[in-house]
Amino acid sequence: MELGLKGKIALVTGSSRGIGRGVEEALAAEGCDVMLTGRDAAALDEAAAAIRGKGRRAAIAAIDLREKDAAGKLIEQLRREFGALDILVNNAGATKRGDFLTLTDADWEDGYALKFFGHMRLARAAWPLLKERRGSLIAIGGTGGRKPTEEFTIGSSVNAAVAAFSKCMADRGKHDGVQVNCIHPSMVETDRLWKRIKAEMDRTGWPEQKAREEMCKGFGITRFGKVNDVADLISFLVSSRATWMHGATIDLDGGEIPTL
């Protein structure tokens, strides 16, 4: 299926590994040039080399989006490198799990600093460029935003805020010509998920395959997701094939059963 993405310019945050890395590679494979950003310069260099290997342009910015001036600096660098922007994927951000009564104010502030305020500031800085090219913004939240649990109070709250913010921007996007959607991925095969699988193996003594099977049963899912599951959905959403998909929040969770 031709997606009409050849020659588009994309900015993907949190793009040194995990979902972000998969998204940038998928977009490059569809013909996009990509601006990569994260805090690990060496990993960004490696990711950029892979994109150049596909014959596309790549630039990197090792930057901490929790800093208040980071979004503006990143967009200025993007202007210098590419001069325009068609696709913004706000992916960066992780939040701490734990007992609500022991989580500190600093834990909460850190959770919101990157995944909510980082998303918000970058959307604001990038909006004029997206408006100019009638571009697309994708926000990556998480299913905790719709299915909150007691051990994920920070993440559930932040992801719900990301979804609400995305809906607000989609409302604005209707008259500014910017497409906005939000994705809530669930259990995707990343380093973060592997730590949870390993913890279950240590707790139960199960071999890896048994731990995976029992965890999938517990979550009520068909399988764990792959990075490409998210990347392929994003490639479609920002393409010429999905222009009527606007203001949506999509649970990408393999049929996960709510725990509440």
Side-chain angles (χ1 to χ4, degrees):
M1 180 184 291
E2 173 56 52
L3 296 179
L5 293 175
K6 289 182 175 64
K8 300 286 187 182
I9 298 161
L11 167 58
V12 182
T13 71
S15 47
S16 59
R17 58 180 57 85
I19 289 174
R21 178 80 179 259
V23 170
E24 75 202 22
E25 291 181 353
L27 292 175
E30 293 295 333
C32 294
D33 297 325
V34 189
M35 181 87 191
L36 316 178
T37 185
R39 287 176 280 176
D40 186 336
L44 289 172
D45 281 333
E46 180 184 322
I51 289 173
R52 294 178 188 124
K54 299 177 188 294
R56 305 311 308 176
R57 290 187 295 161
I60 67 169
I63 197 167
D64 186 347
L65 287 170
R66 292 175 297 185
E67 297 174 0
K68 291 183 178 180
D69 61 349
K73 290 179 178 178
L74 178 57
I75 293 303
E76 281 308 307
Q77 182 176 343
L78 181 138
R79 285 180 184 274
R80 292 194 300 271
E81 298 279 359
F82 297 104
L85 180 64
D86 298 288
I87 300 161
L88 170 59
V89 181
N90 263 331
N91 166 70
T95 54
K96 187 175 180 179
R97 293 177 175 271
D99 182 347
F100 169 69
L101 296 178
T102 62
L103 292 167
T104 66
D105 283 2
D107 292 329
W108 281 85
E109 288 164 2
D110 187 67
Y112 272 88
L114 180 55
K115 193 154 191 183
F116 181 76
F117 284 105
H119 283 211
M120 179 277 291
R121 293 187 186 110
L122 190 52
R124 183 172 60 195
W127 195 262
L129 291 177
L130 293 172
K131 181 178 177 181
E132 185 177 296
R133 301 269 284 221
R134 301 187 68 83
S136 297
L137 189 160
I138 299 286
I140 304 296
T143 51
R146 280 192 172 172
K147 294 172 278 193
T149 56
E150 64 173 295
E151 79 280 0
F152 201 45
T153 49
I154 299 176
S156 295
S157 302
V158 171
N159 289 331
V162 167
F165 173 70
S166 299
K167 193 68 172 179
C168 293
M169 296 310 296
D171 197 32
R172 182 184 181 99
K174 285 184 289 187
H175 54 80
D176 281 357
V178 179
Q179 179 196 38
V180 183
N181 290 292
C182 178
I183 300 172
H184 282 333
S186 184
M187 302 295 172
V188 178
E189 295 268 11
T190 62
D191 290 343
R192 198 180 313 169
L193 177 60
W194 168 243
K195 290 176 183 177
R196 295 184 69 178
I197 295 170
K198 184 64 167 62
E200 190 68 3
M201 292 165 62
D202 293 342
R203 185 183 71 82
T204 61
W206 288 333
E208 180 181 341
Q209 187 59 34
K210 173 72 170 176
R212 287 175 173 274
E213 290 171 357
E214 292 301 320
M215 287 177 72
C216 284
K217 287 179 185 177
F219 289 118
I221 57 178
T222 55
R223 62 170 172 84
F224 290 127
K226 304 292 187 184
V227 166
N228 283 347
D229 291 321
V230 185
D232 290 345
L233 175 59
I234 289 174
S235 296
F236 173 71
L237 288 175
V238 301
S239 78
S240 60
R241 299 280 183 161
T243 55
W244 204 41
M245 181 68 76
H246 183 75
T249 299
I250 302 169
D251 282 349
L252 188 60
D253 63 2
E256 185 175 339
I257 298 170
T259 56
L260 291 182

